[in-house]
């Protein structure tokens, strides 16, 4: 039976917002979890609710009466393991029928990571689940790098020439929503990527051609990257993870992975980086 009410955590985020779009399209109503429900955009079928991993008393009211949950982990959060495992316990206590948990490309290879420990905790919980492991988001070039692309015509990373199968968060959101509504995906781990491997010079070239002005990728020293993240107030554990991602994993081509999972699940290929840039040109206009 199709779910009638879903809780979407991180509902204001890159992927949560897209999961909502696709659940609504299937006729499922949504509880959109956020720390600031008063700011939620009003739309038919969406009820904005207080959901804060730092305040466990918000979990039961948000989950009560829901059929399924999209579980996501806020970036740079300092109590991830404790609070997300608590959320999984509360899902069990509230009789949630299905959980989709989003982690990342490197989770399997990183047994000490919080993402991997939580995947195993969910798998052992007795809940029906799907795990979705996406590659790097195309939308990082709107958020993380959007400002310097506009102001400097450049973006800065310690990633060398490493290649990535960037994926559009609209495709991730659709796969996650499908996994909540399609029982055939129960128990599966979906490693999802975009359609092609690109390095950051390729990304800069596509941005340049589509926007009609030069956008440069600058391969910065790792200490400059570390200092930049710290200056935004990012905690040390999160800085270390970002440095691992780009200076170790991407630089050494560990993210050069492509799969056909989006096509298998959705019956169509994932969006290309060119399509993503064409769809968002106004975002980078000065
Ligand atoms: N960026 C990538 O390329 C990439 C690739 C693969 C996987 N991932 C994974 O994707 C996840 C999301 O990352 P993102 O950078 O895209 O962030 P995001 O989901 O766009 O934004 C962060 C979200 O976390 C919510 N949040 C923050 N603190 C919270 C708290 N205490 N309780 C409840 N919700 C809280 C925020 O909601 P409110 O502010 O509305 O409360 C917001 O919706 C991370 O686990 C990351 O590892 C990212």
């Amino acid at each position: 039976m199709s779910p009638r009410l879903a809780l979407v955590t991180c509902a204001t985020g890159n992927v949560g917002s897209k999961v909502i779009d696709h659940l609504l399209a299937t006729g499922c109503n949504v509880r959109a979890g956020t720390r600031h429900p008063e700011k939620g955009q009003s739309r038919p079928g969406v009820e904005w609710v207080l959901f804060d991993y730092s305040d466990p008393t918000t979990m039961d009211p948000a989950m009560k009466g829901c059929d399924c949950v999209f579980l996501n982990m806020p970036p740079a959060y300092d109590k991830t393991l404790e609070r997300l495992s608590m959320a999984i316990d509360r899902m069990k206590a509230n009789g949630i029928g299905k959980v989709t948990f989003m982690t990342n490309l490197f989770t399997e290879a990183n047994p000490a990571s919080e993402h991997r420990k939580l995947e195993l905790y969910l798998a052992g919980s007795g809940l029906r689940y799907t795990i979705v492991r996406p590659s790097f988001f195309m939308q990082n070039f709107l958020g993380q790098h959007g400002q310097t692309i506009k102001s400097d015509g450049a973006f800065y990373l310690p990633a060398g020439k490493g290649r990535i199968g960037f994926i559009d968060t609209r495709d991730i959101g659709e796969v996650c929503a499908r996994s909540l509504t399609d029982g055939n995906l129960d128990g599966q781990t979906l490693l999802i990527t975009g359609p092609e491997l690109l390095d950051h010079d390729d990304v800069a070239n596509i941005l340049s051609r589509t926007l009609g002005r030069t956008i440069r990728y600058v391969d910065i020293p790792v200490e400059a990257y570390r200092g930049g993240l710290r200056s935004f107030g990012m905690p040390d554990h999160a800085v270390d993870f970002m440095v691992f991602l780009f200076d170790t994993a991407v630089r050494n081509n560990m993210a050069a992975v492509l799969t056909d999972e989006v096509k298998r699940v959705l019956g169509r290929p994932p969006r290309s980086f060119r399509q993503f840039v064409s769809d968002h040109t106004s975002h980078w206009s000065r």
Side-chain angles (χ1 to χ4, degrees), residues 10-15 34-36 51-54 72-75 77 102-104 115 134-137 140 144 241:
C10 297
T12 56
N14 274 318
V15 176
T34 171
R35 292 165 299 171
H36 309 286
F51 185 88
D52 185 349
Y53 287 115
S54 298
N72 195 3
M73 184 168 142
Y77 186 58
M102 190 181 82
T103 61
N104 69 57
H115 268 137
S135 184
F136 289 67
F137 302 167
N140 294 340
Q144 289 168 29
F241 182 64

Side-chain angles (χ1 to χ4, degrees), residues 1 9 14 16 32 45 52 57 64 67-68 75 80 85 108 112 114 121 126 163 169 187 194 203 236 262:
M1 195 178 75
T9 67
N14 274 318
D52 185 349
T57 67
K64 197 173 162 51
D67 303 299
C68 59
T80 297
S85 54
E108 182 92 50
E114 291 169 328
Y121 193 75
R163 296 194 301 161
T169 58
V203 165
D236 283 348
V262 171

Side-chain angles (χ1 to χ4, degrees), residues 159-265:
K161 291 286 290 171
R163 296 194 301 161
I164 296 177
F166 293 102
I167 181 165
D168 193 307
T169 58
R170 294 173 291 183
D171 292 334
I172 306 173
E174 190 168 351
V175 168
C176 291
R178 182 69 61 89
S179 69
L180 286 171
T181 55
D182 181 352
N184 291 326
L185 297 171
D186 286 2
Q188 295 193 25
T189 296
L190 309 174
L191 201 161
I192 57 173
T193 72
E196 63 200 330
L197 292 177
L198 301 172
D199 67 24
H200 286 89
D201 283 320
D202 298 326
V203 165
N205 287 336
I206 294 169
L207 282 163
S208 302
R209 276 201 301 274
T210 313
L211 301 182
R213 64 181 198 271
T214 301
I215 307 295
R216 289 175 307 122
Y217 158 53
V218 185
D219 184 14
I220 52 172
V222 68
E223 281 318 314
Y225 182 61
R226 203 181 269 284
L229 295 177
R230 284 205 184 110
S231 73
F232 291 121
M234 190 179 274
D236 283 348
H237 76 276
V239 172
D240 289 345
F241 182 64
M242 296 298 285
V243 166
F244 159 77
L245 279 183
F246 289 102
D247 189 51
T248 302
V250 177
R251 188 179 283 283
N252 293 302
N253 256 328
M254 292 158 59
V257 175
L258 290 183
T259 74
D260 287 331
E261 290 290 74
V262 171
K263 180 129 194 260
R264 180 175 72 88
V265 173

